């Protein structure tokens, strides 16, 4: 009997089809309806009524999902089994969250509310009754710092949080480090912390508090945040040994010195995103690839100061590499494209995703770009036929072009 259904972003999926699916598949355990914009209360009510074994439900970007839908879920047969619920970018607000927190979903551990513009401090406070492990409130623009601090003081269950995504609060305190300092004190089991697009320029000390207090932290995401290089260095000195994923996308103050510090203190790194850290050059990339030999993901998009020579050294050192992004790096024209293909073939048997701009590397020559796209695609096909790359990864390779 069907236990998993994924219809994400399927435009033909509507209320009628989901009503039939729910009635015909009562043993469903996972259902992904993300982006199915034609769904509404009838579909959600059918899911709530028939799918009593449902543990994971993704309704993100379903704009018609609102508080009435959440009330139906909270009172339905699926409420007891439900463990993970994604409501990101829906019309859900405080009334729905009060229903959700009313005691009908005792096993709910993961709740994603990113981009829910109707959620206010009242809704966040209501969630105190849940023992969540994952909470995503990024982009909930009506949440205030005052409301978040009140929730931190009220929730005993914050100690269970392992994955936290925070929004940018409207500052009301005289101490800009206060929210992060309280996170450090309240969330000792934190494993993943996402601080996207925040002003952290005065919060280096609070970041270090988190690094010291959250001893299980394995992932830090500072994408697009305003953070000083010294703050990043202090963080990795305190917590680098356990760090496995570091996302510094568009952190403009991150430079080679920062990467040398990361290399010295983060030997277990598996995933690093340095896209658009424009102060980074060959020296920083060399330091990371020399010290962090277990990297699976290395994203260097937009680093014009990184040359083909450094990328060749990366390939020679990182035999476990699965994903590489060198779009916008200085590949060095035709010879660089050949060297990249040869280096991947020689050193990186596990590569599954590659991003580069062939046209850019060949100085805008459309004809040559087409030829070298074929070169790289042909290289992958040959390796699949030779058995050196599993055929299932073919569809994952991305040759990103302008």
């Amino acid at each position: 009997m069907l236990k998993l259904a994924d219809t994400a972003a399927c435009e033909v999926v509507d209320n009628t089809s989901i009503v039939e699916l729910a009635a015909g598949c009562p043993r469903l355990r996972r259902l992904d309806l993300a982006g199915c914009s034609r769904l509404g209360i009838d579909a959600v009510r059918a899911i709530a009524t028939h799918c009593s074994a449902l543990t994971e439900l993704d309704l993100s970007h379903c704009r018609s999902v609102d508080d009435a839908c959440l009330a139906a879920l909270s009172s339905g047969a699926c409420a007891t089994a439900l463990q993970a619920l994604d409501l990101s970018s829906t019309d859900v607000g405080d009334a729905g969250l009060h229903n959700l927190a009313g005691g009908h979903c005792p096993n709910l551990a993961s709740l994603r509310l990113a981009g829910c513009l109707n959620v206010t401090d009242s809704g966040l406070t209501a969630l105190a009754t849940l023992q969540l492990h994952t909470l995503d409130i990024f982009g909930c623009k009506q949440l205030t710092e005052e409301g978040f601090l009140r929730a931190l003081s009220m929730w005993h269950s914050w100690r269970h949080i392992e994955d936290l995504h925070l929004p940018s609060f409207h500052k009301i305190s005289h101490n800009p480090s206060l929210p992060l300092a309280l996170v450090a004190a309240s969330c000792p089991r934190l494993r993943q912390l996402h601080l996207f697009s925040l002003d952290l320029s005065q919060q280096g000390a609070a970041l270090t508090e988190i690094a010291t207090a959250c001893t299980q932290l394995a992932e830090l995401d500072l994408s697009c945040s305003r953070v000083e290089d010294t703050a990043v260095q202090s963080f990795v000195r305190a917590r680098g040994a356990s760090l496995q994923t570091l996302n510094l996308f568009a952190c403009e103050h991150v430079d080679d010195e920062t990467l040398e510090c990361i290399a010295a203190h983060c030997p277990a790194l598996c995933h690093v995103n340095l896209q658009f850290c424009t102060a980074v050059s060959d020296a920083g990339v060399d330091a990371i690839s020399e010290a962090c030999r277990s990297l699976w993901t290395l994203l260097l998009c937009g680093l014009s100061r990184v040359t083909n020579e450094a990328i060749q050294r990366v390939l020679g050192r990182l035999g476990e590499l699965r994903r590489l992004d060198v779009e916008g790096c200085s590949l060095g024209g035709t010879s660089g494209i050949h060297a990249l293909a040869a280096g991947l073939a020689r050193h990186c048997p596990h590569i599954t995703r590659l991003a580069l701009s062939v046209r850019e590397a060949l100085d805008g020559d459309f004809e040559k770009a087409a030829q070298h796209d074929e070169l790289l695609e042909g290289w992958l096909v040959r390796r699949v036929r030779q058995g050196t790359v599993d055929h299932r990864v073919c569809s994952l390779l991305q040759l990103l072009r302008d």
Side-chain angles (χ1 to χ4, degrees), residues 110-171:
S110 175
L111 180 60
R112 298 188 181 276
L113 300 169
C116 289
L117 302 181
N118 297 325
V119 172
T120 74
D121 295 343
S122 172
L124 182 62
T125 302
L127 299 178
T129 60
L130 301 174
Q131 292 194 358
L132 296 175
H133 292 179
T134 297
L135 178 63
D136 185 351
I137 50 176
F138 171 74
C140 295
K141 295 183 178 181
Q142 292 201 61
L143 293 180
T144 68
E145 183 185 276
E146 181 183 19
F148 179 68
L149 296 177
R150 183 165 57 249
L152 276 174
S153 66
M154 294 176 61
W155 288 26
H156 297 297
S157 55
W158 280 103
R159 67 183 183 275
H160 299 291
I161 291 286
E162 298 178 3
D163 184 359
L164 181 61
H165 302 239
L166 291 182
S168 178
F169 298 112
H170 177 64
K171 299 298 181 189

Side-chain angles (χ1 to χ4, degrees), residues 262-263 266-269 272 287-295 317-318:
I262 291 169
C266 304
L269 275 178
V272 176
I288 288 288
S289 63
E290 177 65 34
C292 306
R293 297 295 184 103
S294 299
L295 281 179
R317 294 164 179 160
L318 303 182

Side-chain angles (χ1 to χ4, degrees), residues 93-104:
D94 293 343
L97 296 185
H98 278 274
N99 274 320
L100 189 68
H104 303 295

Side-chain angles (χ1 to χ4, degrees), residues 203-283:
Q203 302 197 40
L207 281 174
T208 303
E209 285 187 51
I210 287 175
T212 303
C214 303
T215 59
Q216 301 178 56
L217 195 69
E219 178 175 348
L220 178 65
D221 183 355
L222 299 174
S223 301
C224 299
S225 287
R226 186 179 175 188
V227 59
E228 299 298 325
D229 56 341
T230 52
V232 177
Q233 292 175 33
S234 296
F235 182 94
V236 299
R237 288 191 185 101
R239 185 48 51 207
S242 65
L243 210 59
Q244 297 177 11
T245 299
L246 182 59
N247 191 341
L248 299 173
F249 178 95
C251 292
E252 60 182 14
H253 295 296
V254 168
D255 56 13
D256 290 340
E257 183 179 351
T258 309
L259 295 191
E260 288 166 2
C261 183
I262 291 169
H265 293 91
C266 304
L269 275 178
C270 294
H271 309 280
V272 176
N273 187 346
L274 302 173
Q275 293 173 309
F276 301 103
C277 295
T278 53
V280 169
S281 71
D282 285 357

